[in-house]
């Protein structure tokens, strides 16, 4: 079945450093959607783009569909950015979509 | 604005007891609806999806069932809980098959 691999599994940064999170997927994706998972478990959608580059605030998502990979860049990290980042690949048929999640990257930003 | 509400927020249930989790979407007509499950420390897995009232398709077999009795309501249930049902359940909607998903706040279930 479709698989999504995220790397690194965990990352520790000093405040102000940049973070680069990677996502590789096993089959053709219609889009890549990035989420932040709060400690309680709920998901916050960050960015979604089928291909190319998209920005919002300090976040940049880049998807290279032909190479089956994507990345999330977080610039000038802040302590409040700490948490789990999930990458999800969309694979749509004509009638439904299946969003397949990676196992996540745990980010810790320290002073 | 669209809202998605899940209930209950958390449950502690005994093995063998029944379960019903609910999800309501307001402000969106005929959305695609989904149930996801995450074991503690695990990866989110899609359990069910529904593209219209009365029609639900199973993606992963976990001795659970789902129903869509109304356009804006999605129910996850089982008659007999197993220990392995513990985890975090999330409901989501999307406008079409290839559009972004929006998730509810989730229900945390502990089966003892």
């Amino acid at each position: 079945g479709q698989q999504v691999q995220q790397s690194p599994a965990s990352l520790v940064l000093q405040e102000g450093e940049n973070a680069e999170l990677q996502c590789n997927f096993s089959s053709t994706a219609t889009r890549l959607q990035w989420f932040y998972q709060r400690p309680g478990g709920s998901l916050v959608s960050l960015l979604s783009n089928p291909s190319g580059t998209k920005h919002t605030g300090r976040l940049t998502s880049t998807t290279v569909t032909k190479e089956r990979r994507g990345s999330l860049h977080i610039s000038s990290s802040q302590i409040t950015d700490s948490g789990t980042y999930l990458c999800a690949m969309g694979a749509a048929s004509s009638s439904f979509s299946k969003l397949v999640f990676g196992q996540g990257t745990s980010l810790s930003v320290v002073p | 604005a669209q809202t998605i509400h899940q209930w209950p927020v958390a449950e502690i249930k005994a093995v063998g007891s029944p379960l019903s989790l609910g999800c309501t979407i307001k402000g969106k007509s005929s959305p695609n609806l989904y149930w996801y499950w995450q074991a503690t420390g695990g990866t989110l897995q899609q359990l069910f999806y529904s593209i219209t009232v009365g029609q639900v398709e199973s993606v992963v077999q976990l001795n659970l069932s789902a129903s869509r009795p109304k356009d804006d309501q999605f129910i996850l249930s089982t008659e007999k809980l197993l220990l392995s049902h513990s985890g975090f359940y999330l409901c989501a909607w999307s406008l079409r098959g290839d559009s972004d998903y929006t998730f509810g706040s989730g229900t945390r279930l502990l089966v003892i």
Side-chain angles (χ1 to χ4, degrees):
Chain A
Q2 296 132 343
Q3 291 184 352
V4 178
Q5 293 291 332
Q6 290 188 244
S7 60
S10 62
L11 184 60
V12 181
L13 296 176
Q14 280 202 310
E15 197 173 8
E17 289 184 323
N18 299 332
E20 188 85 12
L21 282 54
Q22 303 292 336
C23 181
N24 291 277
F25 36 97
S26 62
S27 58
T28 304
T30 56
R31 74 189 183 287
L32 216 57
Q33 191 169 356
W34 287 93
F35 295 88
Y36 171 76
Q37 186 165 34
R38 296 189 176 110
S42 62
L43 300 182
V44 178
S45 182
L46 299 174
L47 281 164
S48 174
N49 58 318
S51 63
T53 300
K54 200 170 181 180
H55 304 275
T56 182
R58 294 181 294 107
L59 303 177
T60 301
S61 168
T62 300
T63 304
V64 185
T65 312
K66 278 193 291 190
E67 296 179 13
R68 298 182 181 174
R69 62 177 175 86
S71 64
L72 180 70
H73 182 87
I74 306 172
S75 63
S76 303
S77 61
Q78 300 174 0
I79 292 172
T80 51
D81 292 334
S82 298
T84 300
Y85 290 80
L86 299 175
C87 161
M89 171 192 104
S93 70
S94 58
S95 59
F96 79 100
S97 76
K98 186 175 180 180
L99 202 61
V100 180
F101 281 84
Q103 76 279 25
T105 292
S106 177
L107 174 65
S108 295
V109 182
V110 298
Chain B
Q2 304 85 24
T3 60
I4 178 168
H5 175 62
Q6 281 189 248
W7 73 93
V9 172
E11 282 263 49
I12 300 176
K13 302 277 280 186
V15 170
S17 63
L19 174 76
S20 181
L21 304 181
C23 175
T24 300
I25 295 86
K26 296 297 183 188
K28 185 57 64 179
S29 179
S30 301
N32 288 0
L33 299 177
Y34 314 91
W35 277 111
Y36 276 78
W37 171 73
Q38 185 179 37
T40 303
T43 303
L44 275 161
Q45 295 183 65
Q46 191 176 61
L47 300 178
F48 297 94
Y49 70 91
S50 170
I51 60 173
T52 191
V53 174
Q55 288 188 17
V56 177
E57 299 296 330
S58 173
V59 179
V60 173
Q61 283 296 328
L62 283 181
N63 292 309
L64 295 167
S65 60
S67 64
R68 187 171 178 177
K70 300 179 187 176
D71 185 54
D72 63 353
Q73 197 172 74
F74 207 18
I75 306 295
L76 184 71
S77 62
T78 183
E79 291 187 1
K80 284 188 178 181
L81 278 165
L82 306 172
L83 286 174
S84 57
H85 287 139
S86 292
F88 191 61
Y89 290 84
L90 282 162
C91 176
W93 71 270
S94 70
L95 188 59
R96 304 180 304 272
D98 60 349
S99 56
D100 289 354
Y101 281 35
T102 301
F103 285 82
S105 297
T107 296
R108 190 157 299 280
L109 173 67
L110 177 62
V111 182
I112 55 174

